[in-house]
Amino acid sequence: MSTEKDDTTGAGHDTGRDDSGRDDAATSGDENDTTSATESTAQAAAQTAAEDSGKGTGKTGKKSTRRSRSRWIPVVVLVSVAVSTAALTWLLTTIFSHRQESAASFTEVVELTDTSYDPAVWGENFPIQYEQYRQTVEDTDGDFIEVTPTAEDPREYHTISRIESEPRAQRMWRGYAFAVDYTEPRGHEWALLDQMYTERTDERFNQPGACLNCHASTPEIYDELGDGDREAGFEAMNAMDYEDAVEHASSSIACIDCHDPQTMELTITRPAFAEGIREAKAAEGIEDFDVNRDATNQEMRTYVCAQCHVEYYFAGDGKTLTFPWDNGLTVYDAMDYYDDIGWTDFTHEESGAEVLKAQHPDFETWSQGIHAANGVTCADCHMAYGREGAAKVSNHQIMSPMASEETINASCLTCHHSSAEEMRQRVDTIQTTWQSSLNVSFTALDALITDITTAVDNGSADEADLEKARDYQRKAQFVVDYSFSENGRGFHAPAYSVSILNQATDWARSGQLVLRGIEVDNGVGPAIPEQHMPSDDD
């Protein structure tokens, strides 16, 4: 605008009339009008140009943005396709990998044979199970006690003494090795070591090699002593002194005790169980039962445990490990069996009664409970399944399912629609009820032992009454011992466990009455049998 103004002004001076002031004035006014108009026109033109310029820029920007977006579309599509393809590939690869894991039960790193005794060798093929097995050394029950190792006993930990916790049990066993030393059990890794250093196996008690059947890995011992004939090795080990037999033991319970090394199937390696379950099945009407041939896989998930967790005795001069199952699996069946063959474990130090010593009848007690009736096995609860990738693995850190919330979830809550805390409370209620019944029975038995001992000392009962009272002690004590030594604390068969303790209490009190000259008739029912269940008869 200033250029245009200067140019216009200059032209006016060149053509103005200088001879007249009027003309000068007129010329001056014309110049101002011209300048003003020129400026207005220029401003309007500039504004219009600016507006046009702005409009033009907006249209151009939109077109530019559209072109830019168009260029990115193929890139986005390409990336999306690539990501989708990668995700699909990963998914298919994972599915294939998991199928392969499921199809292959293990990766064979070493060849296993009938002489692969060392569990560490099995661990090369089954590292997960082996590491879990090694964890059986841990204190999952919370009952370890730290002690100072000695030359006689190098162990750094013991478990709680049951005869210190329950002095009535110590009195019940007076005259027998269990009155000297009896502690809480612990994991399989300790089975051999704890037996080697318990006072029960020292020279005072002259224990047989048969004790190793439940505490050592026996296939190696059988093979060595029987020169490859395991039945012969079994018989040879039973008859040996414990001190000599234990020299042939290299480890506690191991893989080969429960698994066939060629097929990995569960297998029975203890001749005593094979014979015992054959007799038990015969009592049920099933003849010629061969456990390794005839048992189902689900049965085997209990039977491999029942090779050891049972009631037994050492028969004859050969101290042959034998299970008293000819009549069946109840405590009364075992008692009748022992009475029939005239078996006695020891003579009670105080009362003079010829009594029986129960072992650890976990299998027999379980067989009377609701879990057994519904096909729930030992392994289902104590070795619950878990997942390692796509593989289903039975937990080889064998322990109580109550050990933690995780173990409760893995075992109990696969069937029970409840919470871990609820399950813990239910188990606690069952075991507390059992403990109350046990206390009553122990009190009655302890009183009977006292009364028999007193009657002998003061001559207040004749020999016939003493004999009857001692027979009642034998019966009551076996049942109390049976339930006390069973590791389920009443849980494996709650109703059964309480009922047999009720019977034990009745027998103990009956023995006291006999010493007082009172005739006793046990097991009398009502005059008219009661109907407990609704009848569907019309």
Side-chain angles (χ1 to χ4, degrees):
M1 290 177 65
S2 60
T3 303
E4 290 177 2
K5 181 180 180 178
D6 289 343
D7 289 346
T8 303
T9 304
H13 279 294
D14 289 341
T15 59
R17 297 183 179 90
D18 293 336
D19 57 337
S20 167
R22 179 181 176 183
D23 289 340
D24 290 338
T27 301
S28 178
D30 291 342
E31 284 182 3
N32 287 341
D33 292 340
T34 302
T35 300
S36 206
T38 303
E39 288 177 349
S40 297
T41 302
Q43 288 175 354
Q47 184 176 350
T48 301
E51 289 176 356
D52 290 343
S53 176
K55 290 177 181 178
T57 301
K59 292 177 182 177
T60 304
K62 288 179 181 178
K63 291 178 182 178
S64 176
T65 301
R66 289 195 189 102
R67 287 196 299 271
S68 177
R69 288 176 180 172
S70 298
R71 286 197 300 270
W72 279 104
I73 288 174
V75 176
V76 171
V77 171
L78 182 62
V79 170
S80 298
V81 170
V83 170
S84 299
T85 302
L88 182 59
T89 302
W90 173 84
L91 179 61
L92 292 174
T93 302
T94 301
I95 292 172
F96 177 77
S97 176
H98 284 185
R99 282 180 176 174
Q100 289 297 102
E101 288 176 10
S102 298
S105 58
F106 68 98
T107 301
E108 186 176 45
V109 177
V110 296
E111 181 183 1
L112 299 175
T113 70
D114 289 339
T115 58
S116 298
Y117 307 121
D118 186 356
V121 175
W122 290 62
E124 294 188 50
N125 289 352
F126 304 96
I128 297 170
Q129 290 90 337
Y130 177 63
E131 285 306 312
Q132 292 172 339
Y133 156 83
R134 292 184 63 195
Q135 290 170 4
T136 61
V137 74
E138 296 177 1
D139 180 12
T140 57
D141 290 335
D143 56 8
F144 279 27
I145 300 172
E146 189 171 1
V147 295
T148 302
T150 65
E152 293 75 24
D153 186 352
R155 293 175 296 172
E156 297 179 352
Y157 293 92
H158 292 179
T159 53
I160 297 169
S161 169
R162 296 200 74 190
I163 56 177
E164 290 180 8
S165 300
E166 181 48 89
R168 292 172 295 188
Q170 196 276 339
R171 190 185 189 198
M172 173 175 70
W173 292 324
R174 284 181 187 171
Y176 200 63
F178 278 78
V180 176
D181 185 16
Y182 181 52
T183 59
E184 292 283 0
R186 52 181 168 176
H188 282 185
E189 189 71 7
W190 294 98
L192 179 59
L193 197 65
D194 282 348
Q195 186 185 64
M196 289 171 61
Y197 293 104
T198 178
E199 292 183 57
R200 299 199 309 274
T201 56
D202 69 27
E203 60 186 11
R204 287 177 293 168
F205 301 108
N206 192 30
Q207 298 286 9
C211 295
L212 286 170
N213 279 288
C214 294
H215 288 263
S217 181
T218 58
E220 180 178 12
I221 303 174
Y222 297 160
D223 284 346
E224 184 176 339
L225 295 178
D227 194 23
D229 182 340
R230 291 189 176 176
E231 186 73 35
F234 165 70
E235 294 174 358
M237 185 191 74
N238 290 331
M240 296 174 71
D241 290 338
Y242 180 81
E243 290 84 353
D244 296 330
V246 76
E247 294 297 322
H248 297 276
S250 64
S251 76
S252 182
I253 316 303
C255 312
I256 199 169
D257 290 279
C258 301
H259 291 278
D260 183 309
Q262 275 77 49
T263 67
M264 301 304 124
E265 295 292 328
L266 294 173
T267 190
I268 298 301
T269 56
R270 304 305 199 265
F273 179 82
E275 175 62 20
I277 197 64
R278 187 181 70 82
E279 294 295 337
K281 290 291 187 179
E284 297 174 3
I286 303 172
E287 298 295 334
D288 191 31
F289 183 81
D290 183 325
V291 64
N292 283 323
R293 179 194 68 199
D294 301 328
T296 66
N297 183 66
Q298 190 71 354
E299 287 178 314
M300 291 296 276
R301 284 169 58 78
T302 285
Y303 287 168
V304 290
C305 306
Q307 296 184 98
C308 297
H309 292 262
V310 291
E311 163 61 10
Y312 60 84
Y313 74 107
F314 302 145
D317 294 336
K319 303 297 182 183
T320 303
L321 177 68
T322 306
F323 299 169
W325 295 347
D326 288 22
N327 302 324
L329 297 176
T330 72
V331 64
Y332 307 121
D333 291 333
M335 190 182 302
D336 289 342
Y337 173 90
Y338 287 135
D339 288 345
D340 289 344
I341 67 172
W343 180 261
T344 293
D345 280 298
F346 69 103
T347 299
H348 195 273
E349 186 178 90
E350 294 181 17
S351 70
E354 294 183 345
V355 291
L356 303 167
K357 172 68 189 80
Q359 311 309 322
H360 26 65
D362 307 331
F363 167 67
E364 297 95 326
T365 302
W366 162 87
S367 71
Q368 306 305 308
I370 191 170
H371 287 94
N374 285 276
V376 180
T377 71
C378 304
D380 289 327
C381 297
H382 297 278
M383 301 177 67
Y385 282 119
R387 285 284 178 185
E388 295 289 339
K392 187 168 72 170
V393 178
S394 186
N395 188 350
H396 280 61
Q397 187 185 6
I398 307 162
M399 69 184 101
S400 166
M402 294 293 109
S404 68
E405 185 169 325
E406 180 182 357
T407 55
I408 294 173
N409 286 333
S411 55
C412 310
L413 299 188
T414 57
C415 297
H416 295 277
H417 301 295
S418 184
S419 67
E421 183 56 31
E422 256 187 307
M423 291 308 303
R424 191 181 295 278
Q425 289 174 357
R426 289 174 66 178
V427 173
D428 182 64
T429 297
I430 290 169
Q431 294 184 326
T432 299
T433 300
W434 167 84
Q435 183 66 58
S436 297
S437 297
L438 179 66
N439 289 341
V440 172
S441 297
F442 256 134
T443 298
L445 175 62
D446 197 60
L448 175 59
I449 294 172
T450 296
D451 284 359
I452 295 173
T453 304
T454 300
V456 170
D457 291 342
N458 64 22
S460 60
D462 61 29
E463 194 59 37
D465 288 340
L466 283 172
E467 184 178 349
K468 289 179 183 177
R470 286 169 176 149
D471 186 58
Y472 275 122
Q473 181 188 340
R474 173 185 170 92
K475 288 181 170 67
Q477 181 165 322
F478 182 61
V479 173
V480 171
D481 187 356
Y482 191 98
S483 194
F484 179 68
S485 299
E486 197 270 331
N487 290 304
R489 305 293 198 271
F491 179 78
H492 287 147
Y496 170 77
S497 297
V498 170
S499 73
I500 65 174
L501 288 173
N502 288 343
Q503 182 61 73
T505 300
D506 180 55
W507 279 331
R509 295 306 186 191
S510 296
Q512 289 182 281
L513 292 173
V514 165
L515 290 172
R516 289 160 175 79
I518 301 172
E519 290 294 328
V520 178
D521 191 1
N522 302 107
V524 177
I528 301 175
E530 296 181 3
Q531 178 178 305
H532 299 294
M533 296 291 291
S535 174
D536 58 1
D537 295 336
D538 293 335

